[in-house]
Each structure stands twice: as C-alpha cells, then as structure tokens.
Amino acid sequence: MPLTEVTEEVRDALAERRPVVALESTIIAQGLPRPRNLTVALELEQRVRSRGATPATIAVLDGRVRIGLDGPALERVAEDTSVRKLGSRDLAPALATRASGATTVSATAFLAARSGIRLFATGGLGGVHRAWAHSQDESADLRVLAQTAITVVCAGVKSILDVPATLQRLETLGVGVLGYRTDHFPGFYLTSSGEPLDWTVTSPREVAEVIRAREELGPPSSALIVANPVPEARQLDPDLHDRVLREALDACAAQGITGQAITPFLLDFLTRRTGGASLEANLAAVYGNVTLAAQIATAL
Ligand code: PSU
Ligand code: MN
C-alpha cells in the first residue's frame, strides 16, 4: 500500500494481535474549537493507552493515508486551517492531488477496516438530516457502515439529526446497534434520544462476544454500533439543547449553509450559544467512547 503509511507502533500492535483503537480526525479539525482541539486529540490517545490499547488516529497528509499520527502530524491536523474534511468518496482525489484532510467517520471506518483495525471510537455518527425530505442530506457515514466490518463506539448520532429516521436507515442497511447499559438510543449531547433499542449489553466482554458471534456467522459485511450514552450528570440540559438547536437549524437555513459545512456549522453554533456547555457534553461523550472502545479491544 504505497500511498498508506502506518506508524511503527500501530504496525507492531496489529502484527502482534494487540488491541488497537482507530480514532477519526474530523472531530479534531472541524468538530472542536482551536486550540482546545489539540489538547483533546492528545488526551483521547492517552485514554486509549491507559486502557492498554494502541491508538491509531487516521488522516490524510500530503496525499498519503496516515494510520497513526505522531505529535507533529497531530498538531498539523489540529492547527492547520487548510486541512480539509474528507468523507470516503474524497479519499481518491485527496491522494491524487497530494491534499491534506481530516477523515470523517465514513473515511476513517473504511481506512481502519482496510488496515485490519476492528474497533473505532468517535463522538456521534452522521445520519439523516431533519430537512431530508427537501435536501436529501444523509451522511455518507451510513452507507459506509452498511458495507464495512468494524465496531464503532459512539454516543448515538448527532442530535442535530432526525434520530428516528437515522435508526430506521440503520435497520434497513443491516447495521447492528447495541445499547451499552441502556435500552434507549443515546442522544449525543443528551443521555437519551428517547428512542428504544432492541439490544442491551452491559460489559466490554459481552460486546466482544457479540463481535465473535458476528465473525462466526461469516465474515461480517456491515458495522456494529455500540451506543454508549454520556453520563446523565454530564449531559447538556435538555431544555437548553432543544431551544438552541432550533435556533441553530434556523440559522443554518437562513445563511444557506450546505453540504459538508452543515455539521461543523451546527456544532459550532451550539458551542457558542450554550456558553460552551454543549462542548463539555460532546467531550464527555467522546472520552467515554474512547475508553469503552479500548476496553472492548482489550476484551477481544
Ligand atoms: N462526532 C463528533 N464531532 C464531529 C463528528 C462526529 O463529536 O465533528 C464528525 C464525524 O467525522 C462525522 C461527521 O463523520 O461529523 C459527519 O459529517 P456529515 O454530516 O457532513 O457527514
Ligand atoms: Mn451531509
């Protein structure tokens, strides 16, 4: 894979079948405010390590896929404003034009699975947007998850989305969803979206057993989602969430924001208009997911 560079640390861990957790980089480059994003990126890797697993943050730098980022590479992703947002369909043009970009869930899941990584942690997945009937905006995350054998630990899908429609799409696409210690789908900034789930697991070992069962049934052709809610004490106040989200969606429509810019716009709007409270809930969710992913990878 000449266009792919895997760090020695990740390569050794994979070769020795030690636990590895993939981390996406769009959350760093486009999902969190600078300069906090770099501190968070380093902290995420630290949390994976402290649970006995190897972190593999994924990005594209100067037209090369990077599986695992060293300090300077992580700094570049966090600080360089010319780093683009890359979904899975953007990978080939980015490589061919020597571009640099942070990878979304769709691009990260694709690249991680292709490198032999079985666990991936993020904040909230993309999904069906609320204005879907008119915009047809459904994140590429869903289709890639339908075709990629990887386990993704997340706090549900971003609450800026149409959550019931997204859950329906996941069912249609054959993507498994397990609630981690909950029988309701998490609501990203909120502990619960209010939507019920069919399956609940209560330990990293149980998730590992589901993963093994999937593999025994035949090579899995789709992803497994482990939906891990943000602790209630750290969720965003639900009333504040609903009010500011309505304003954010109105502002997005009024300003004519489209395509890849929508999600970063909404996340940033919420952070500013909740006085940073949505950011804290987002971080609590991501930290919890990264820790759980490392525990599952270790249990495997
Ligand atoms: N989770 C977060 N913050 C983020 C994202 C996820 O806590 O910024 C990113 C992921 O990279 C996800 C992307 O794939 O948002 C979805 O973007 P879109 O809706 O344009 O597909
Ligand atoms: Mn979109």
Side-chain angles (χ1 to χ4, degrees):
M1 295 195 287
L3 290 172
T4 303
E5 193 177 319
V6 185
T7 56
E8 198 179 323
E9 183 194 17
V10 173
R11 197 167 355 104
D12 289 351
L14 288 171
E16 292 162 21
R17 301 183 59 83
R18 285 188 277 113
V20 176
V21 174
L23 302 170
E24 59 142 318
S25 46
T26 290
I27 180 168
I28 301 166
Q30 282 92 22
L32 298 170
R34 298 183 177 83
R36 181 93 180 263
N37 60 347
L38 178 59
T39 322
V40 173
L42 294 166
E43 173 72 19
L44 292 175
E45 295 213 333
Q46 185 46 42
R47 291 203 182 210
V48 172
R49 283 183 216 285
S50 72
R51 300 284 167 166
T54 300
T57 306
I58 295 180
V60 173
L61 290 175
D62 306 315
R64 281 168 73 84
V65 171
R66 304 278 293 261
I67 311 287
L69 300 180
D70 57 14
L74 215 50
E75 272 171 39
R76 215 175 131 191
V77 169
E79 289 166 1
D80 183 345
T81 51
S82 71
V83 166
R84 303 175 53 141
K85 174 175 168 180
L86 305 177
S88 56
R89 72 170 187 166
D90 304 309
L91 289 171
L95 300 192
T97 63
R98 307 278 176 271
S100 297
T103 50
T104 67
V105 168
S106 67
T108 309
F110 170 80
L111 293 170
R114 174 173 167 275
S115 307
I117 301 175
R118 296 155 86 195
L119 259 299
F120 169 25
T122 182
L125 304 177
V128 180
H129 282 258
R130 292 175 189 229
W132 185 87
H134 130 94
S135 67
Q136 305 275 300
D137 188 354
E138 173 184 325
S139 175
D141 291 356
L142 298 189
R143 203 188 53 87
V144 171
L145 293 177
Q147 298 175 336
T148 308
I150 197 161
T151 298
V152 186
V153 184
C154 61
V157 300
K158 281 180 280 277
S159 53
I160 58 176
L161 301 168
D162 183 336
V163 177
T166 305
L167 281 170
Q168 181 53 57
R169 285 294 290 153
L170 289 170
E171 182 181 346
T172 303
L173 292 166
V175 177
V177 183
L178 307 176
Y180 190 77
R181 297 185 177 159
T182 179
D183 53 11
H184 282 87
F185 197 55
F188 186 52
Y189 297 122
L190 305 177
T191 304
S192 173
S193 68
E195 298 300 316
L197 285 178
D198 295 329
W199 296 97
T200 300
V201 288
T202 54
S203 67
R205 172 169 297 276
E206 232 180 304
V207 179
E209 280 164 13
V210 175
I211 295 172
R212 271 196 291 271
R214 269 161 53 86
E215 288 167 0
E216 196 169 316
L217 286 167
S221 56
S222 58
L224 175 68
I225 293 174
V226 179
N228 181 34
V230 67
E232 216 168 299
R234 307 196 61 184
Q235 74 170 342
L236 184 59
D237 172 54
D239 292 333
L240 178 64
H241 171 270
D242 294 353
R243 181 166 55 76
V244 179
L245 179 56
R246 265 195 306 276
E247 293 170 12
L249 293 166
D250 289 346
C252 192
Q255 293 179 41
I257 311 288
T258 56
Q260 282 193 328
I262 291 177
T263 296
F265 174 88
L266 293 173
L267 296 178
D268 177 61
F269 189 99
L270 268 114
T271 295
R272 286 184 291 104
R273 300 293 275 271
T274 61
S278 75
L279 176 61
E280 296 311 318
N282 188 351
L283 292 179
V286 184
Y287 287 144
N289 296 339
V290 161
T291 302
L292 178 58
Q295 289 171 321
I296 297 167
T298 307
L300 263 180

